[in-house]
Amino acid sequence: MNSFEKYIPQVYFELIPICNLVSNQKYQRSLSRRHIERTCANFNLFQINPIKISRRNGQNYVINGQHTIEIIAAVSGSRETPVWCMVYDGLEYLHEADIFAGQQEYTKPLSSFKIFTAHLEADSDTHIIIKTIVEQCGLRLVKSKKNGAICAVTSLVDIYERYGYDGLERTLRLVVQTWEGEASSLTSRMLRGASLMVATFGDSLKDNVFAERVGTISAREIARIARERRAGSIGYAETMLLMYNKKTKSTLSMTRLHAPQKDYAK
């Protein structure tokens, strides 16, 4: 035997229609409709991986790739669409489950920060613009929580995609003006909460008033109160709004804060 053969899987590749694949084995995770819908909306042919298949008793059992086949079926509009499969012959069910478990256990997913920097390397306009906004606000992008820096890159992308350049830029400037770049003020939920305030109230929200009133308590205290009020970033936005409205006759509406933001308050 060649010394390298033990490192080469005994498989072959075959185009198989999705309708001829059997998935949803008990050892697999449940399908995430949200993941499927999001990936379909951002479908990229070059990001498709081969489906790992066990051919057993005349059936093609999907070991890994059940989300991929559902995405391709949805995008193509047909379960007759063929996909490239890496086919194993002669496996038993227990061996398939063991392969799946081991693959999930020892696969290290990319961090959000690594994915963001990869998009920068690919010259993604969106990610370059976000980095520019961050730096124009006197901040940096980093891997972990630090003063004057942001590691919540997924939230930056979400805010930018939802509210655009002006929404993200104003959110960051508002937070920096209020807490001067303190690390606890630049977390995901703090940024999302502030962006909800900006998006909901627009020009009715006065940045200098926000900084003066909401800034009377620390970002850590905002987080503590928010967790007691309501889960997710909406709790942070509520807390900021309560502080903003404190000791004033002209208040911003709590009802208005909730009405348009239900799908974003996470």
Side-chain angles (χ1 to χ4, degrees):
M1 175 184 291
N2 185 298
S3 61
F4 299 114
E5 287 185 4
K6 62 181 179 180
Y7 303 110
I8 303 173
Q10 300 301 303
V11 299
Y12 54 93
F13 288 84
E14 184 177 324
L15 276 171
I16 304 175
I18 293 171
C19 60
N20 292 339
L21 302 178
V22 179
S23 60
N24 296 321
Q25 273 67 259
K26 289 183 178 180
Y27 56 76
Q28 293 175 320
R29 72 193 87 181
S30 299
L31 285 172
S32 168
R33 303 313 308 181
R34 182 179 178 185
H35 172 71
I36 292 170
E37 290 167 5
R38 182 179 179 185
T39 308
C40 286
N42 299 276
F43 182 75
N44 186 330
L45 185 64
F46 294 97
Q47 293 175 353
I48 297 174
N49 292 318
I51 312 303
K52 188 173 287 186
I53 296 297
S54 171
R55 183 162 288 161
R56 172 167 50 86
N57 300 325
Q59 298 287 335
N60 299 309
Y61 292 97
V62 177
I63 299 175
N64 195 57
Q66 63 172 350
H67 279 90
T68 300
I69 63 175
E70 295 304 321
I71 290 161
I72 296 172
V75 171
S76 68
S78 174
R79 300 192 76 82
E80 297 290 336
T81 305
V83 292
W84 278 112
C85 297
M86 185 169 69
V87 183
Y88 288 83
D89 277 329
L91 298 181
E92 298 294 333
Y93 178 85
L94 293 179
H95 193 181
E96 295 169 11
D98 185 63
I99 292 171
F100 177 82
Q103 182 168 292
Q104 303 307 311
E105 182 177 2
Y106 298 110
T107 297
K108 184 179 180 181
L110 282 176
S111 67
S112 297
F113 188 82
K114 283 288 187 182
I115 293 172
F116 189 94
T117 55
H119 280 299
L120 287 176
E121 288 295 315
D123 286 338
S124 162
D125 289 342
T126 293
H127 295 77
I128 290 171
I129 291 170
I130 290 171
K131 182 174 183 288
T132 300
I133 295 172
V134 169
E135 292 174 348
Q136 287 176 344
C137 292
L139 302 169
R140 297 172 293 124
L141 293 172
V142 294
K143 294 180 182 179
S144 56
K145 190 175 172 182
K146 293 180 182 178
N147 289 338
I150 299 177
C151 59
V153 290
T154 300
S155 292
L156 292 177
V157 174
D158 287 346
I159 293 169
Y160 176 80
E161 290 182 343
R162 187 173 178 87
Y163 302 128
Y165 184 104
D166 291 340
L168 177 59
E169 195 267 350
R170 187 181 175 196
T171 296
L172 294 184
R173 289 199 183 280
L174 182 64
V175 170
V176 170
Q177 181 182 353
T178 305
W179 292 288
E180 300 180 341
E182 198 276 318
S184 295
S185 70
L186 298 169
T187 63
S188 174
R189 287 180 176 172
M190 285 290 288
L191 294 176
R192 288 177 182 266
S195 72
L196 289 177
M197 290 282 289
V198 168
T200 301
F201 300 110
D203 292 339
S204 298
L205 178 72
K206 305 303 179 185
D207 293 11
N208 60 329
V209 176
F210 183 98
E212 179 183 340
R213 294 178 181 169
V214 184
T216 58
I217 64 175
S218 69
R220 288 177 180 272
E221 185 66 5
I222 290 281
R224 185 192 67 77
I225 297 171
R227 288 193 295 269
E228 292 176 355
R229 286 192 59 82
R230 192 184 299 269
S233 59
I234 189 65
Y236 285 68
E238 285 183 0
T239 304
M240 294 175 193
L241 181 57
L242 289 172
M243 295 303 300
Y244 184 91
N245 285 339
K246 200 170 184 179
K247 296 181 181 179
T248 181
K249 293 180 180 179
S250 179
T251 61
L252 300 178
S253 168
M254 185 69 76
T255 302
R256 186 177 171 190
L257 178 66
H258 283 264
Q261 308 296 348
K262 293 179 180 177
D263 62 333
Y264 185 67
K266 299 174 181 177

